[in-house]
Amino acid sequence: MVYSAAVADPHRLLAVVAHPDDESFGLGSILAWAAARGAETTVCCATGGEAGEPAPGSGIAPEDLPAARVRELREAAELLGVRRVDLLDYADSGMVGDPVPGTLVAAPFGDVVAAVLAEVDAVRPSVVVTLDAGDGHRDHARIRDATLAAVERAAEPVERAYLAGLPRSLMRRWVQHQRSVNPDRQHLDPDVAAIGTPDEELTTVLDTSAQLATRWAAIRAHASQVSPYDDLPSDLQEAFLATDRLRRVVPPWTGGPPEDSLF
């Protein structure tokens, strides 16, 4: 699809993610928030999530998982008001081990940048959003870096680019909860206090409470995956899902009160 220069609403938001469910688990409220304001929203997903595992009780066989995850991505995107979903031709790299040929991390970085740049030039977004990879997933870091490089090279300048993250203060609350309910989880060591984005680096805070029900519906559409929010108490669920925090990287943040809009 080629967008016409004459559109009723000038706002176009492109979300670039690594896996199916990143658009809902990570950016769902942002996408719904933008769509509610009349923006044309697009999701570009780099992989099919092949390295994931079917959720217990989902009834999905491992060999059927990639097709199921892509189907769930499209269903969730529709719930979030996304106009367009595009898939890049990379496989999920997984969390650990040597990445195999064809995976996102194994691909030459320049090729990944070129693939994202083609998407940016096709969509011509005024705003680009991707995850900040504060969770340490290497695919998230790869697509973050490629997205920022593509924004710099776009044929038509991108007005604003953001990294969506989770504040360190909130992640510490999450760690405290996990230690109380599941103290044997190995990743809850002292160094985990450094996870998340330092609160002072977050430049933009969106009140997405009006999108909470939509966000949950999109999360539920990913029936093959286990939601990271299901076992949280209601106050933590709301803290994660009803407010979104981002770091503006284009144009560079120069200080002042946090923004409350992406447009």
Side-chain angles (χ1 to χ4, degrees):
M1 177 186 297
V2 177
Y3 287 96
S4 167
V7 292
D9 190 300
H11 298 310
R12 290 187 291 274
L13 184 146
L14 171 63
V16 187
V17 299
H19 315 105
D21 77 25
D22 289 341
E23 88 299 328
S24 296
F25 293 177
L27 302 178
S29 295
I30 295 171
L31 287 164
W33 178 93
R37 283 153 181 79
E40 295 181 352
T41 55
T42 298
V43 169
C44 174
C45 184
T47 80
E50 297 85 353
E53 297 180 357
S58 67
I60 298 173
E63 62 270 20
D64 297 330
L65 183 62
R69 295 197 70 180
V70 171
R71 182 175 64 252
E72 291 167 352
L73 164 63
R74 297 190 183 281
E75 292 172 356
E78 184 174 358
L79 291 168
L80 295 169
V82 172
R83 301 281 189 92
R84 166 177 171 174
V85 175
D86 293 330
L87 292 167
L88 303 183
D89 193 22
Y90 297 106
D92 189 335
S93 309
M95 292 289 290
V96 296
D98 294 333
V100 301
T103 61
L104 181 60
V105 171
F109 181 65
D111 291 353
V112 182
V113 173
V116 178
L117 178 58
E119 183 75 8
V120 173
D121 285 343
V123 175
R124 296 187 295 113
S126 51
V127 176
V128 173
V129 180
T130 190
L131 296 173
D132 73 354
D135 60 356
H137 197 302
R138 57 187 179 179
D139 276 347
H140 294 168
R142 188 70 155 183
I143 207 65
R144 175 202 63 201
D145 295 345
T147 299
L148 294 181
V151 165
E152 290 182 356
R153 304 176 194 180
E156 184 172 318
V158 174
E159 294 176 14
R160 296 186 177 194
Y162 292 90
L163 299 177
L166 295 170
R168 186 161 292 170
S169 59
L170 180 56
M171 292 305 296
R172 285 175 175 167
R173 287 177 58 192
W174 177 82
V175 169
Q176 290 171 355
H177 169 72
Q178 294 298 331
R179 284 177 174 159
S180 68
V181 299
N182 194 359
D184 294 329
R185 293 182 71 167
Q186 294 182 356
H187 64 278
L188 299 179
D189 56 53
D191 290 340
V192 83
I195 65 175
T197 305
D199 291 51
E200 63 273 13
E201 294 182 8
L202 296 164
T203 65
T204 309
V205 179
L206 302 182
D207 178 359
T208 53
S209 55
Q211 283 71 50
L212 188 55
T214 301
R215 176 86 170 271
W216 272 117
I219 289 170
R220 297 290 181 236
H222 289 279
S224 73
Q225 301 301 294
V226 176
S227 161
Y229 310 112
D230 284 346
D231 66 346
L232 298 181
S234 58
D235 62 325
L236 266 182
Q237 287 181 343
E238 185 165 351
F240 275 106
L241 300 175
T243 303
D244 282 79
R245 299 94 169 166
L246 308 95
R247 179 161 63 93
R248 197 183 78 195
V249 293
V250 176
W253 185 253
T254 56
E259 297 178 315
D260 61 3
S261 178
L262 303 182
F263 303 127

